């Protein structure tokens, strides 16, 4: 039996122990080895919830609905493989995605007819969810900087029947200056150290982790977040999220933006329909962050959800 204590980088474990209380720490450490149920979304651009669930249930899948998202379901881990062999999967009528990943589009709440930006989009799980919520009406721009991931994004968008998404192979850090105040809503699901996706069964998920890499990616996140803000219309809403536990990639990045642009952007409270969360922190290793950071949320991993950091920002004026 692999143990997180012996396998994972000591510096990472030490950070977690400073960040979390004993119960939370145990929850997080367990999440690195647990075999989670498979969650997926029904793609309403290609079929109704009723038709797709009837089809899957008659093929003997044990579907459990997710109470807060009518398009989301889960099945036991041992049915995952069979799900990937169904017509519904091949035809893009379902999309396998962790439940935590569905939270950002849920909070972004893009409406049909709006102009929306997904600034770090591949492989496209959240872009697809946003396109379905917008019922393919309006304008959705999806940006990705890494070539092979960009082509995966395009393939997923085609397979899932999106018709209103424009894709751009470019660096998200340049988008704000190219498209100032263009979007009603912006999602930045930032590239991160992916700490919440560490798995003891896959050493490649964590063996390249280092505190230096966390600092490097945090620098990029700050610039992406600034670009996202510049691209947002006055009055517009932005979601920033990562699948990392490190405060350097989360509260620290958002605090930097709030300090630099205090006259034009603020955090908004978030209502989450589940309880495995904690408020964003305001103190970390000799640093103090704005009290408003308590309005950001950390999703703690459970036997079904991955860890996540998420916050909602509103632009009040040009900056
Ligand atoms: C967390 S992943 C996005 C996952 C995606 N939102 C989804 O739900 O499927 C972050 C993405 O940002 C991309 N990326 C890295 N640097 C970037 C940059 N400078 N501009 C835009 N995208 C970037 C990565 O290649 C990666 O695909």
């Amino acid at each position: 039996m692999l143990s997180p204590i012996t396998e994972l980088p000591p510096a990472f474990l030490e950070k977690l122990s400073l960040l979390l209380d004993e119960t939370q720490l145990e929850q997080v450490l367990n999440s690195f080895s647990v075999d989670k149920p498979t969650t997926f979304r029904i793609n309403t651009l290609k079929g109704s919830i009723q038709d797709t669930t009837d089809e899957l249930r008659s093929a003997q899948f044990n579907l459990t609905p997710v109470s807060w998202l009518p398009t989301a379901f889960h099945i036991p881990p041992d049915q995952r493989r069979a799900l990937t062999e169904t017509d519904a999967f091949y035809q893009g009528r379902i999309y396998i995605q962790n439940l935590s990943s569905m939270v950002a589009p849920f909070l972004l709440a893009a409406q049909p007819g709006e102009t929306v930006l997904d600034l770090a989009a591949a492989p496209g799980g959240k872009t697809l969810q946003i396109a379905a919520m917008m019922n393919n009406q309006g304008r959705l721009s999806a940006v990705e900087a890494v070539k092979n991931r960009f082509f995966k994004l395009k393939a997923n968008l085609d397979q899932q029947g999106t018709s209103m998404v424009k894709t751009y192979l470019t660096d998200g850090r340049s988008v704000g200056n190219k498209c100032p105040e263009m979007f009603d809503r912006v999602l930045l699901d930032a590239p991160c150290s992916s700490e919440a996706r560490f798995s003891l069964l896959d050493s490649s998920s964590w063996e390249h982790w280092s505190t230096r890499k966390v600092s490097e990616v945090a620098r990029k996140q700050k610039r992406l977040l600034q670009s996202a803000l510049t691209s947002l219309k006055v009055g517009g809403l932005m979601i920033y999220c990562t699948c990392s536990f490190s405060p350097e990639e989360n509260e620290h990045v958002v605090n930097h933006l709030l300090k630099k642009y205090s006259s034009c952007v603020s955090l908004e409270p978030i209502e989450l329909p589940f309880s495995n969360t904690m408020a964003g922190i305001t103190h970390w290793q000799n640093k103090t962050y704005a009290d408003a950071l308590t309005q950001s949320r950390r999703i703690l991993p459970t036997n079904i959800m991955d860890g996540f950091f998420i916050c909602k920002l509103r632009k009040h004026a040009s900056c």
Side-chain angles (χ1 to χ4, degrees), residues 95 97 101 118-127 143-146 149 170-173 187 189-192 194 197 220 224 241-243:
Y95 188 86
Q97 188 179 22
S101 284
D118 185 347
L119 193 59
K126 298 182 187 64
T127 321
V143 171
E144 170 58 47
V146 178
R149 293 181 63 86
T170 191
D171 191 323
R173 287 171 286 195
L187 170 64
D189 179 26
C192 70
S194 301
R197 301 267 160 83
K220 185 191 253 195
L224 281 167
C241 59
T242 77
C243 59

Side-chain angles (χ1 to χ4, degrees), residues 5 31 89 136 138 148 166 263 267:
I5 309 298
S31 75
F89 181 80
N136 255 339
N148 62 336
K166 288 215 181 311
S263 61
L267 275 167

Side-chain angles (χ1 to χ4, degrees), residues 158-311:
D158 283 350
Q159 191 224 25
Q160 298 255 330
T162 62
S163 57
M164 42 83 86
V165 185
K166 288 215 181 311
T167 51
Y168 300 90
L169 175 58
T170 191
D171 191 323
R173 287 171 286 195
S174 65
V175 171
N177 288 338
K178 286 184 197 153
C179 310
E181 298 192 356
M182 185 179 277
F183 299 96
D184 299 302
R185 299 179 200 249
V186 177
L187 170 64
L188 175 54
D189 179 26
C192 70
S193 61
S194 301
E195 292 166 355
R197 301 267 160 83
F198 286 180
S199 163
L200 295 185
L201 300 174
D202 174 12
S203 60
S204 70
S205 66
W206 49 265
E207 66 192 5
H208 300 297
W209 183 94
S210 69
T211 49
R212 190 174 56 79
K213 288 229 164 100
V214 168
S215 307
E216 267 169 34
V217 80
R219 272 198 294 281
K220 185 191 253 195
Q221 289 160 342
K222 281 182 191 162
R223 293 190 52 204
L224 281 167
L225 189 56
Q226 190 166 323
S227 173
L229 179 65
T230 309
S231 74
L232 192 64
K233 284 181 187 168
V234 173
L237 186 89
M238 181 160 94
I239 299 288
Y240 175 74
C241 59
T242 77
C243 59
S244 170
F245 296 108
S246 283
E248 292 84 349
E249 301 180 56
N250 297 320
E251 290 89 348
H252 188 79
V253 171
V254 179
N255 189 63
H256 178 263
L257 187 87
L258 292 178
K259 237 167 97 179
K260 192 163 174 187
Y261 298 103
S262 59
S263 61
C264 63
V265 64
S266 64
L267 275 167
E268 294 211 327
I270 295 179
E271 296 278 338
L272 289 174
F274 42 84
S275 58
N276 50 303
T277 67
M278 64 184 257
I281 59 170
T282 53
H283 297 279
W284 179 246
Q285 293 181 336
N286 304 327
K287 293 186 187 74
T288 301
Y289 304 137
D291 285 345
L293 259 305
T294 55
Q295 292 185 324
S296 61
R297 280 283 171 280
R298 287 170 165 269
I299 299 175
L300 296 167
T302 62
N303 60 348
I304 188 161
M305 294 183 93
D306 285 345
F308 239 82
F309 170 88
I310 192 153
C311 70

